[in-house]
Amino acid sequence: MPISKHYFATLTHEQLEQYRTDPDQPAGWYIYHIDLRNDGAIPSRTALMHLLLSLLMKRGLLLFSSPLPYHQEITKRMGFHQVEGATHFDFGPNLPSPTYLLDLRGERQRKYFDLLLQQVGVSLALSLPEGIFNFTSKEREVALLVMSTQSNAEIAESLNVTEAAIKKHLGRIYMKAEVRGKIQLLKKLMEATVR
């Protein structure tokens, strides 16, 4: 308040409920910059990027409001969307300050980073060396999904099989890789792909 009130005034009662969390578990972060007269200055840009990058590592809703054109442009380039009806003039009568939102709740954070990496040309394809641990083709498929940190239920859904079938595959995979669980398997698979 007062700057964040413009965003919250655009929400319905149901949308406001998203923000009800335990005090030690914030629903998100509201970012705004004040006392910056030159958004073209390197220290200003560095401070903004440092702040945004640190918050991208946390899950939740990120809200941003600034009258500075560079700040507005960088947030749009980073995937923030302007919130309709939440532009305000609290920084001054000649300084329109739109509010931008980036939703990084749950799976959206992983998808956001996947998209970001694709945009800069980083391959996201996981792979395993041929013949690793003498896995069958189905076991390789399950092992790759384990590497993407999916749960048994998610793996089962991805492969259109039951969770019981995945547990059977994992049992054989653990035996072949000589590990006792997913964490050990993940570590061993990661080590094998780095060699």
Side-chain angles (χ1 to χ4, degrees), residues 14-28:
E14 291 79 25
Q15 290 170 320
L16 279 170
E17 287 300 311
Q18 298 177 69
Y19 290 92
R20 293 197 192 283
T21 62
D22 292 330
D24 61 335
Q25 296 293 320

Side-chain angles (χ1 to χ4, degrees), residues 41-176:
I42 295 298
S44 172
R45 292 177 179 206
T46 302
L48 173 65
M49 290 306 298
H50 185 269
L51 176 62
L52 288 175
L53 290 173
S54 68
L55 290 175
L56 290 175
M57 299 306 189
K58 301 177 182 184
R59 287 194 168 138
L61 295 160
L62 298 181
L63 289 154
F64 186 88
S65 184
S66 172
L68 301 175
Y70 175 77
H71 291 177
Q72 294 171 15
E73 184 59 32
I74 197 68
T75 53
K76 286 190 279 188
R77 287 185 182 186
M78 291 183 75
F80 284 71
H81 301 284
Q82 187 171 343
V83 178
E84 297 239 357
T87 297
H88 60 86
F89 292 85
D90 289 348
F91 291 108
N94 298 321
L95 297 171
S97 301
T99 299
Y100 299 93
L101 171 70
L102 180 61
D103 188 346
L104 295 178
R105 293 174 294 170
E107 276 297 299
R108 291 179 188 97
Q109 185 188 44
R110 184 184 61 79
K111 289 178 181 174
Y112 174 80
F113 281 116
D114 286 351
L115 182 62
L116 207 58
L117 290 172
Q118 286 173 359
Q119 288 174 343
V120 294
V122 175
S123 172
L124 301 173
L126 295 173
S127 64
L128 290 173
E130 282 300 318
I132 187 168
F133 305 121
N134 292 319
F135 288 162
T136 65
S137 61
K138 186 57 80 175
E139 290 166 353
R140 279 179 68 83
E141 207 173 354
V142 171
L144 282 167
L145 291 170
V146 167
M147 288 177 68
S148 69
T149 67
Q150 290 188 27
S151 69
N152 287 357
E154 291 169 325
I155 293 170
E157 187 178 330
S158 294
L159 298 177
N160 201 23
V161 297
T162 65
E163 206 169 329
I166 296 303
K167 288 179 182 176
K168 284 182 185 177
H169 285 304
L170 284 172
R172 289 190 295 273
I173 289 169
Y174 296 158
M175 208 165 42
K176 288 180 177 181

Side-chain angles (χ1 to χ4, degrees), residues 3-8 28-32 61-65 86 88 98-99:
I3 292 167
S4 63
K5 72 179 177 189
H6 304 286
Y7 167 73
F8 290 104
W29 291 264
Y30 197 96
I31 311 156
Y32 67 97
L61 295 160
L62 298 181
L63 289 154
F64 186 88
S65 184
H88 60 86
T99 299

